[in-house]
Amino acid sequence: MKAWRFSTDQHPPAERRAAWREAMTRLRLPVGPGLDAGDEAASVISLVSPMGMEVSLVEAGAQEISGRNPDQPAAVWLAMLLEGAARLDDGLETVEVAAGDIVLGPTGMAAALSLATRFRLLLITAPRVALDHRLVAPKAVRVGRLAAAHGVNHVFSGLLRATAEALEDLTDDQLRPVELAVTEFLAACLATEIAPRGPAAARAAQLHRVRQTIETLLAEPDLSLRRVAEAEGVSPRYLQKLFAGGGENFGAYVRLRRLERCRLDLSSPRYAGSSISTICFRWGFNGSAHFSRAFRRQYGKSPREYRRDGL
């Protein structure tokens, strides 16, 4: 893993404004009509985790990040304000953002973050494939703010601040537990914000727990409905109905999660030296031929073609 670094100091003063906008384009951040970095000192350090989570530390002068980038892949973004003052406009209301607060939203949804002063910002983009199975109601994620004053939000804010401080020194192996922790904390914080209400709440929460259990068992080639039911203390019939109530099928869900894990490994430089067979067996597939057929049906190309095009 190699960090991408940018600094306006690397460019002549007359070129810094354009260079900064190019850097924001690389981060897929639409810079609004307000102030931008201009000839002020501005910098970016950006890493991509093994799971495809992009973690960036941005420091610049007052400006506005606003709009919607249609080229952004399906993901949830979050930004923690380390220093400075800001306002978040989700199109319905404007809220003040203080240092330590976290703002977030799904890609493809317009929002505006107005940074009124010089700032430091930790920006994380988490692919939906790595996050949705952790959320009780993934389709309900909206642009919003997580105030960092109390509870799990406060703990999450502390984790993100520590990550920002250590980002320059993190290795690939060290970033792996960080991405897992960020995913779990984000899911926990969102659970209190977007959890369903009424009779469906208990079923949705239980299905969420079941999905988490499945994630820990994906590598077992003989993973079955009965195995998960035993782990959850319910009957296989009840578990089957739980998935059906959410419009899903247990076997199809497990297969998709395994395929997604394989897909991420195939596109990761970290596993460039692993054979396709090794990767598919790692995630519970019993045969490479069966895996290749399932992969092509899901993604429209063979695992070998996908790896070739992605690396």
Side-chain angles (χ1 to χ4, degrees):
M1 176 186 64
K2 186 176 181 181
W4 170 63
R5 297 170 183 268
F6 168 86
S7 173
T8 52
D9 291 341
Q10 301 168 339
H11 301 270
E15 299 176 6
R16 289 176 182 174
R17 188 181 299 272
W20 177 249
R21 287 188 174 271
E22 288 179 9
M24 293 296 94
T25 299
R26 177 163 178 168
L27 291 179
R28 301 189 183 93
L29 294 178
V31 179
L35 296 174
D36 61 27
D39 59 357
E40 294 186 53
S43 63
V44 177
I45 301 172
S46 185
L47 301 175
V48 178
S49 76
M51 199 164 59
M53 183 180 292
E54 188 170 9
V55 185
S56 306
L57 181 60
V58 181
E59 182 172 359
Q63 59 192 282
E64 181 178 288
I65 301 171
S66 64
R68 181 177 64 86
N69 186 344
D71 297 326
Q72 185 82 286
V76 172
W77 60 266
L78 65 91
M80 176 187 164
L81 188 63
L82 298 159
E83 297 175 9
R87 290 182 178 180
L88 176 68
D89 184 350
D90 64 1
L92 298 175
E93 62 176 343
T94 301
V95 296
E96 299 292 331
V97 180
D101 287 350
I102 302 164
V103 296
L104 58 88
T107 55
M109 186 174 291
L113 183 63
S114 300
L115 298 139
T117 64
R118 185 166 184 81
F119 66 91
R120 291 179 70 237
L121 191 74
L122 182 70
L123 176 69
I124 296 179
T125 304
R128 302 288 316 220
V129 64
L131 183 63
D132 278 4
H133 66 285
R134 291 285 197 255
L135 302 181
V136 175
K139 295 181 180 179
V141 177
R142 294 291 183 269
V143 175
R145 178 193 61 155
L146 301 175
H150 304 289
V152 69
N153 292 359
H154 181 69
V155 180
F156 189 25
S157 178
L159 169 68
L160 294 179
R161 184 173 292 278
T163 300
E165 292 172 353
L167 189 61
E168 290 187 72
D169 302 318
L170 289 178
T171 66
D172 195 3
D173 289 338
Q174 293 167 341
L175 193 58
R176 175 60 174 166
V178 170
E179 69 179 350
L180 293 175
V182 167
T183 299
E184 291 302 322
F185 270 104
L186 181 57
C189 293
L190 289 176
T192 62
E193 303 287 333
I194 63 174
R197 300 289 186 263
R203 291 192 300 274
Q206 186 167 26
L207 183 57
H208 172 61
R209 291 193 298 271
V210 168
R211 286 171 174 165
Q212 290 181 308
T213 297
I214 290 172
E215 208 68 20
T216 67
L217 302 175
L218 281 177
E220 296 185 9
D222 57 349
L223 180 60
S224 64
L225 185 72
R226 183 174 297 279
R227 170 75 172 89
V228 177
E230 289 175 353
E232 288 295 309
V234 298
S235 71
R237 181 175 176 79
Y238 176 82
L239 191 59
Q240 197 169 34
K241 287 184 175 181
L242 194 64
F243 271 91
E248 296 177 308
N249 171 273
F250 173 82
Y253 178 80
V254 170
R255 182 172 60 253
L256 178 60
R257 289 306 306 154
R258 283 174 167 163
L259 286 170
E260 289 288 1
R261 287 295 184 176
C262 290
R263 184 180 69 84
L264 288 173
D265 284 0
L266 287 169
S267 61
S268 172
R270 183 180 187 184
Y271 298 110
S274 298
S275 69
I276 292 174
S277 295
T278 297
I279 289 174
C280 78
F281 288 134
R282 177 189 297 145
W283 291 112
F285 283 97
N286 288 309
S288 56
H290 166 67
F291 164 68
S292 294
R293 288 193 297 270
F295 193 95
R296 183 181 287 278
R297 282 196 301 270
Q298 183 66 33
Y299 303 113
K301 57 179 66 176
S302 71
R304 190 177 303 278
E305 291 168 340
Y306 187 87
R307 167 177 268 183
R308 182 196 62 206
D309 294 344
L311 293 179

